[in-house]
Amino acid sequence: MATTTGPRQKELHELLSRDMVDIYVGDENTHWTLHEKLLCHRSKFFRDVFYKKTGNKNQYYGLPDEDDGPFRLFVAWLYADNIPTPHEEKDLGPLMDLYLMGEKWEIKKLQVDVMDAVRRWYHDSDTLPSLRRVQYIYSNTTDDSPMRVLMVNCIARMLVFGEGMPTHWEKALRRNGQLAVDIILAVQKWKLDGESVPDAREEPVLPIVEEAEQKAEIKKEERDGENEEKHNGETSDYQTDAGQEQTEGEETETAIEEDE
């Protein structure tokens, strides 16, 4: 029985035709000359740009909203399938932009390659996506973005199995309802064993009340501390003003005595 295989992936030398296209990137219109066949083979977006069925064929295209750095990474990937290995957290920034190019230009393999590099970095460094990274992806992608799913799955695990919820994540979830919903949906997909998850209908309610009292007391102490600091600040300002008035009064009296 014959096995069915997918379409053969073309070798690089088969895609380096003579036809070239000019790409202008960023505010300064940085000029790149790329092999048309290779670019269009990789990207449906660029196939639509350069292989229009009607009118004159395009030989150039502008990308004013892209940055030179991430586009340089794109060219390296385009010709060598190379995704740089991140060595520290700041190296993820250009990779996130490279991933967004993969989404915008409809390049599935680029998305997979970048996501895998990001996933491996978080795994090997035993860290999780920062709120800043998650917010950046959410502000630049749509609801069905694969990178959103990857990041949400990581954060959901942290929130479910972590000790409490970090304050900055609590504030973010209160503001971003979609992010909160996505985290809940991610947890639902885990199909957790019901025996391992507490059932509030079977648990005593006293601990719930006591925990609420503790939280209320902590909030009250925080408010009292803030009010005390504010009061001390106002008292200090008043004392300073009073001291200045007294000094000005003494100076005035001295001046009168000298005149006499």
Side-chain angles (χ1 to χ4, degrees):
M1 181 177 178
T3 57
T4 302
T5 60
R8 181 181 69 86
Q9 291 293 323
K10 292 187 178 181
E11 299 292 335
L12 179 62
H13 69 272
E14 299 178 78
L15 300 171
L16 301 183
S17 61
R18 293 182 178 180
D19 294 332
M20 309 295 287
V21 293
D22 298 311
I23 305 293
Y24 296 92
V25 179
D27 296 334
E28 298 183 1
N29 285 326
T30 304
H31 181 208
W32 294 83
T33 300
L34 305 176
H35 287 82
E36 179 188 67
K37 190 174 182 180
L38 173 63
L39 183 62
C40 294
H41 175 76
R42 295 280 204 179
S43 166
K44 180 181 182 302
F45 174 86
F46 286 111
R47 282 199 297 275
D48 293 340
V49 170
F50 293 112
Y51 291 165
K52 289 184 176 180
K53 296 181 180 179
T54 59
N56 297 327
K57 183 178 178 181
N58 286 336
Q59 292 300 127
Y60 62 89
Y61 190 74
L63 297 168
D65 296 329
E66 305 298 344
D67 293 328
D68 289 336
F71 191 81
R72 188 177 298 108
L73 296 180
F74 169 71
V75 174
W77 175 86
L78 182 67
Y79 283 91
D81 276 337
N82 176 58
I83 299 293
T85 301
H87 297 290
E88 48 187 324
E89 206 280 337
K90 68 178 183 179
D91 297 335
L92 297 179
L95 289 185
M96 296 299 177
D97 289 331
L98 180 60
Y99 171 82
L100 295 176
M101 291 176 177
E103 279 203 0
K104 286 183 287 187
W105 302 338
E106 300 176 75
I107 310 177
K108 178 181 177 180
K109 189 176 186 305
L110 178 57
Q111 296 176 52
V112 172
D113 289 352
V114 175
M115 287 179 65
D116 195 51
V118 171
R119 175 197 64 77
R120 283 187 281 106
W121 188 85
Y122 284 126
H123 176 271
D124 295 345
S125 63
D126 193 22
T127 58
L128 293 165
S130 66
L131 176 59
R132 177 168 58 96
R133 297 294 184 203
V134 175
Q135 289 176 329
Y136 183 70
I137 289 298
Y138 263 73
S139 63
N140 288 280
T141 59
T142 57
D143 293 346
D144 56 352
S145 167
M147 184 64 86
R148 280 195 185 191
V149 176
L150 173 63
M151 293 197 152
V152 163
N153 285 343
C154 293
I155 298 304
R157 180 179 177 82
M158 179 268 290
L159 295 178
V160 170
F161 295 105
E163 292 293 333
M165 179 179 290
T167 303
H168 62 289
W169 275 106
E170 180 179 351
K171 291 180 179 179
L173 294 179
R174 290 181 185 277
R175 291 194 302 264
N176 190 331
Q178 185 59 53
L179 177 57
V181 169
D182 289 345
I183 289 176
I184 293 173
L185 293 176
V187 174
Q188 287 182 334
K189 290 180 181 179
W190 298 350
K191 302 298 182 184
L192 295 175
D193 180 11
E195 296 298 325
S196 63
V197 179
D199 188 341
R201 299 168 300 176
E202 300 175 354
E203 301 290 329
V205 299
L206 180 59
I208 299 177
V209 176
E210 291 176 341
E211 182 179 359
E213 287 178 340
Q214 291 175 357
K215 290 182 177 179
E217 183 63 28
I218 291 173
K219 289 182 178 179
K220 180 178 182 302
E221 291 176 357
E222 291 175 349
R223 287 196 302 269
D224 291 344
E226 292 174 356
N227 291 335
E228 184 176 354
E229 290 180 1
K230 183 178 180 181
H231 174 72
N232 291 339
E234 292 175 349
T235 301
S236 176
D237 292 341
Y238 171 78
Q239 291 174 343
T240 300
D241 293 341
Q244 290 178 344
E245 291 176 358
Q246 182 178 3
T247 301
E248 292 173 355
E250 292 174 350
E251 291 176 351
T252 302
E253 292 177 358
T254 301
I256 292 174
E257 292 176 354
E258 290 178 352
D259 291 341
E260 293 175 349

